[in-house]
Amino acid sequence: MTNPARQPQIQIENSFNQAAQALIDQFVQTSPIHANSLIVTVYGDTVCPYGGSIWLGSLIKLVKPLGVNERLVRTCVFRLSEKNLLRSQQIGRRSFYSLTEKGLRQFSSAASRIYAPDLASWDGQWRLVITLLGELSIEQREQLRKELFWLGFTHITTGIFAHPTADLAEVSALIKELQIEEHVAILQATTPEPENVPVANRLIRNCFNTAALDEEYTEFNQQFAPVLDAALNTRQPDPELCFLIKILLIHKYRRILLREPELPKELVEADSASQQARRITAQLYGAIAAFADEYFKQVSESEKGAFAQPPRAYYRRFKN
């Protein structure tokens, strides 16, 4: 006989599972899959902290419920390998894939933004990268633009990129890696007149097109807020659904966030759609991560057998 006292809790847990499954179904049926990006999310969010390597068969099983079939996974890992973002290790008849140094560097740079508990504070100075276009090939210009984009810079005018809080040591390392240090200047700038600071900040800020992504952030909030509400009231959510929602959450959040200029909190309204999305992401991630990780470890295989214990920083995501 069913215990009547168990009914409310069962209904609450079912409400999370239903909300999660509905969102997953919506993603599969209506969204462009962006399978390459989704697989990079799986690696950066979960595989890398757990040792970095996963059997291809495990990867296929993990993403299948998100509409990525075996053929598409194999195509994606081949393309990511061609781009030097993934590398393979053959053990017997099994292929294990991990991020290359390039892939790890790209996701690590993005991760500092994705998992930050809040926007960075600002010292009031702008970081500028100025390029001598006539001395760079078209290929070098495009490569530099893409790499600076990953670091959060915005192209404000011909040959000039700006960022309010970037780590210039990281920028300098990038320039040296690209072997173009003789053609690029890295500067910090501010106005010498205090009364001109608001004007200067407004002029540069207008070059950062933040309004264009507001609609996407609003849609993101509408999709994930109901799942968050259900998760906060659930003690034992379905682990597989938690994993799928965790990956989908970071996948969709980072695809918006990394197209948004990285502005400090002094230049962003607290009630903006982007800040609401940050809060929803942090809360939902915290509510389901432990369950998601248990599912990941249960169904996945590493080239070393057992997965490594994640570093302490993994458990500090979205926390001060």
Side-chain angles (χ1 to χ4, degrees):
M1 180 180 295
T2 303
N3 183 355
R6 291 280 299 159
Q7 290 302 310
Q9 183 60 36
I10 292 174
Q11 290 173 0
I12 289 173
E13 292 177 3
N14 285 344
S15 71
F16 169 78
N17 295 344
Q18 290 168 2
Q21 189 62 61
L23 182 55
I24 293 166
D25 291 343
Q26 180 187 16
F27 172 75
V28 172
Q29 295 168 8
T30 64
S31 299
I33 292 178
H34 301 294
N36 281 13
S37 179
L38 183 68
I39 288 175
V40 170
T41 299
V42 174
Y43 271 92
D45 180 76
T46 306
V47 177
C48 284
Y50 276 96
S53 172
I54 189 172
W55 175 43
L56 179 60
S58 299
L59 183 62
I60 291 169
K61 182 175 183 177
L62 288 172
V63 300
K64 183 178 179 180
L66 294 175
V68 185
N69 60 36
E70 179 177 347
R71 181 186 59 80
L72 187 52
V73 173
R74 292 182 182 276
T75 300
C76 288
V77 297
F78 175 76
R79 289 175 178 170
L80 291 170
S81 297
E82 280 192 321
K83 294 179 180 179
N84 193 30
L85 294 176
L86 285 181
R87 59 170 169 244
S88 65
Q89 172 73 29
Q90 196 75 22
I91 300 179
R93 300 180 63 182
R94 292 187 168 189
S95 297
F96 294 82
Y97 284 84
S98 57
L99 287 179
T100 62
E101 289 185 11
K102 177 183 176 182
L104 185 58
R105 176 176 58 78
Q106 284 192 357
F107 196 90
S108 296
S109 296
S112 64
R113 295 184 61 188
I114 296 168
Y115 303 108
D118 198 1
L119 294 173
S121 295
W122 192 32
D123 60 7
Q125 296 193 10
W126 289 92
R127 283 72 173 163
L128 303 177
V129 175
I130 302 177
T131 63
L132 299 174
L133 295 180
E135 299 180 8
L136 295 176
S137 67
I138 295 177
E139 182 179 350
Q140 286 175 318
R141 295 178 203 171
E142 181 61 16
Q143 188 174 16
L144 176 61
R145 184 194 67 79
K146 287 182 178 179
E147 294 290 347
L148 289 175
F149 171 82
W150 276 104
L151 294 179
F153 277 81
T154 284
H155 187 205
I156 62 172
T157 190
T158 303
I160 301 178
F161 301 83
H163 192 297
T165 59
D167 182 349
L168 293 185
E170 190 173 4
V171 178
S172 180
L174 166 64
I175 300 304
K176 290 179 180 178
E177 180 181 324
L178 297 178
Q179 299 181 347
I180 56 174
E181 54 264 44
E182 296 297 324
H183 313 293
V184 178
I186 303 173
L187 306 174
Q188 283 186 246
T190 188
T191 177
E193 302 295 336
E195 61 270 21
N196 288 334
V197 169
V199 177
N201 289 343
R202 187 175 75 251
L203 289 174
I204 299 181
R205 188 185 184 282
N206 285 343
C207 299
F208 291 71
N209 187 12
T210 57
L213 297 177
D214 281 351
E215 185 174 336
E216 291 185 53
Y217 272 124
T218 299
E219 181 182 1
F220 175 93
N221 297 339
Q222 292 170 346
Q223 289 175 333
F224 284 96
V227 182
L228 171 61
D229 290 341
L232 293 177
N233 289 288
T234 302
R235 289 182 297 181
Q236 292 294 328
D238 181 271
E240 181 180 7
L241 289 176
C242 286
F243 175 81
L244 296 173
I245 288 294
K246 178 170 172 273
I247 294 303
L248 192 57
L249 175 75
I250 297 302
H251 172 66
K252 294 180 75 70
Y253 179 61
R254 82 178 183 92
R255 284 187 62 83
I256 306 174
L257 178 71
L258 297 182
R259 287 185 287 121
E260 180 187 39
E262 187 178 7
L263 294 174
K265 58 185 176 183
E266 289 83 355
L267 297 179
V268 178
E269 296 180 3
D271 62 348
S272 66
S274 63
Q275 285 294 76
Q276 292 175 34
R278 180 181 296 273
R279 290 190 287 269
I280 289 172
T281 302
Q283 288 181 279
L284 182 52
Y285 196 93
I288 65 177
F291 301 101
D293 287 0
E294 285 304 313
Y295 174 76
F296 170 78
K297 291 184 290 184
Q298 179 184 350
V299 305
S300 305
E301 294 183 41
S302 165
E303 65 181 78
K304 297 180 180 179
F307 284 98
Q309 181 69 19
R312 185 175 300 178
Y314 178 69
Y315 299 104
R316 299 297 306 167
R317 287 176 170 178
F318 297 110
K319 298 177 183 178
N320 291 311

